[in-house]
Amino acid sequence: MPFKSRTVPVKLRIMRALNSRMVLTEKEKKYYFYLEKGYQGELMFDSMTENLHTGYLIINDVCLEMNNSEFQNDTLLISQGTIFLFEIKNFEGDFYYDSNKLYLASGEEVKDPLVQLKRNETLLRQFLRSLDCHFPIESWVVFINPEFTLYEASRDLPIIFPSQINRFLGTLNRTASKLTNRHIKLAEQLVSAHIVDSPYSRTRLPSFDYGQLLKGVLCPNSQCLGFMAPKGNRTLMCMECGYEEKMELGLLRNIEELKLLFPGVKITTNLIFEWCGGVGSKKMVGRVLRENYHVMGKKKYTYYE
Ligand SMILES: [Zn+2]
């Protein structure tokens, strides 16, 4: 079991909601699919590191800050004497290196993950030093997609190809690693420094406002994200995939989604009832808010935090 599990990144959560609630441009859609694909690749890698023996502390997705620079670590493994840093890429298709630049087969240049890896490793090293930790860092770019091919890559690059992942992790699994309280303390320090939602996690988002977004409760299945309709008084059913859930669960998720899309918005019963597309009743919305949030203000000025 990982020391820290991966959760859906803020930016992806926002893009999922926007894709269902407004019409994205082709460019915005492409960006959304890029984020989704990246996340799915990370989950694939998680399912493989899960099988490592307990001599490794797995820290998935930790965003840290050093010298006013944020850096996102896809996967960190803490072992007895080394910290492994993995940058996971779910690239698909043919790519090639030319003069230290990475290109798609079509000739379009793409951001080189090795550059990102180098930057992250440097910042991570400084971060660890600030904690008085001097473990060596071993960093790798993992290409997770079996449909990925890279031409003209020299053999000494810190790259793990799809056909090598099992062997790489197998070697780690055969390597003894004894952890002490010092390792666990380090893992705790890394996790507690994790930045969940920062201005950076909201860059490159399409512009949107409340008025233009479709109202209603979205299906929790990330493959679906269709709108849900009431089925009786207490149940919601997805109009796309038929998934059913308790109405209160859907309302709660929708409140959290509104807060995600509009941080700092004043949550009132009327606003939530409207945001949920009139699902349930104002009475039920009021009860869900009272039971799950702090009541602020009085009577008609009541809002929730
Ligand atoms: Zn659905």
Side-chain angles (χ1 to χ4, degrees), residues 219 221 224-226 238 240-243:
C219 176
N221 175 0
C224 174
L225 299 171
C238 176
E240 304 284 334
C241 74
Y243 178 85

Side-chain angles (χ1 to χ4, degrees), residues 1-2 43 45-53 58 60 169:
M1 214 176 98
L43 292 181
F45 190 61
D46 294 351
S47 67
M48 300 171 96
T49 54
E50 251 176 26
N51 302 318
L52 286 170
H53 68 65
I58 307 167
N60 290 323
L169 294 177

